[in-house]
Amino acid sequence: MSFVVALTGGIASGKSAVERRFEALGIHAYDADVAARAVVEPGSEALAEVARLFGTEALDGDGRLDRAAMRQRVFADPSARATLEGILHPRIRTWLREAAAADDGPYCILSIPLLVENREHYAWVDRVLVVDAPEAVRIERLTQRDGIDAPLAGKMIAAQASREDRLAIADDVIVNDGDEAALDEAVAVLDRRYRALSRRN
């Protein structure tokens, strides 16, 4: 397995922009959101289990997971959310671990939005990189990006782990509170650090 860096950050912190910059430097990034789609492809065990526990209304007309319907359902019912996470999260973790094990680069990135909430399941990663931005900046980004109002943006941020909890697990931090172009140098510095660390491993 190559050296593994877990990348995380709150909503609208700029994780995707950081991930793209590592990829531009030739580093493979494996995203938990991509894994979440892959594990419920038609014909998968996970999709069959979701349909068995939630009924066929969990599926769309093409037999795929109806994400919009399930999102509404799990946000309205914490027990439904726990059930769905119990089906998906172990498979997402397996998908990410297998991707990291097969990676042949000097190191790889695992992009995991809910890393704080699931830290014990990722004890095997080598480093944690947190993309950080002040709440006011993230609210502004969310309102512009998603066309929502500030109170809803604040609720979305509050539903995640706190900024303090994320920073507490960080080995490295990129502060993304200004122009996105400033990320280039921050990522380049970390890329050199991770390549050096991977050679020592």
Side-chain angles (χ1 to χ4, degrees):
M1 185 183 291
S2 65
F3 191 82
V4 180
V5 179
L7 168 68
T8 195
I11 191 168
S13 61
K15 288 186 307 299
S16 298
V18 168
E19 188 179 323
R20 284 194 301 273
R21 281 161 173 79
F22 278 109
E23 288 179 320
L25 295 171
I27 298 304
H28 296 129
Y30 304 102
D31 197 307
D33 291 336
V34 172
R37 288 179 171 79
V39 299
V40 290
E41 281 293 305
S44 65
E45 284 179 20
L47 189 63
E49 198 171 337
V50 169
R52 183 172 59 78
L53 293 172
F54 290 96
T56 52
E57 61 268 26
L59 308 180
D60 65 17
D62 296 324
R64 294 181 171 275
L65 184 67
D66 188 332
R67 294 181 181 283
M70 286 305 295
R71 195 174 298 123
Q72 284 187 338
R73 191 158 170 185
V74 300
F75 274 111
D77 180 358
S79 68
R81 182 177 183 173
T83 299
L84 185 63
E85 287 177 350
I87 297 168
L88 299 185
H89 285 190
R91 290 175 168 93
I92 291 168
R93 290 193 291 271
T94 298
W95 189 97
L96 289 169
R97 186 152 197 166
E98 287 174 353
D103 189 79
D104 58 1
Y107 69 94
C108 67
I109 300 285
L110 301 185
S111 183
I112 308 170
L114 300 179
L115 182 63
V116 170
E117 296 87 337
N118 294 281
R119 182 67 182 103
E120 71 276 12
H121 297 296
Y122 292 99
W124 52 273
V125 305
D126 296 294
R127 279 184 94 76
V128 173
L129 168 58
V130 171
V131 184
D132 184 49
E135 187 170 316
V137 171
R138 293 165 61 206
I139 286 174
E140 185 181 344
R141 286 177 185 157
L142 272 174
T143 56
Q144 290 177 355
R145 184 187 82 186
D146 296 356
I148 59 176
D149 61 21
L152 178 55
K155 279 185 189 165
M156 290 168 72
I157 289 170
Q160 294 188 323
S162 71
R163 187 180 179 194
E164 293 72 25
D165 286 345
R166 270 191 300 276
L167 291 173
I169 67 164
D171 295 300
D172 305 295
V173 178
I174 290 179
V175 178
N176 180 28
D177 57 359
D179 193 316
E180 211 178 86
L183 295 175
D184 293 341
E185 180 58 22
V187 170
V189 168
L190 287 174
D191 175 63
R192 290 193 291 272
R193 181 182 300 167
Y194 296 153
R195 287 175 191 269
L197 287 169
S198 72
R199 286 194 290 272
R200 283 185 223 155
N201 239 29

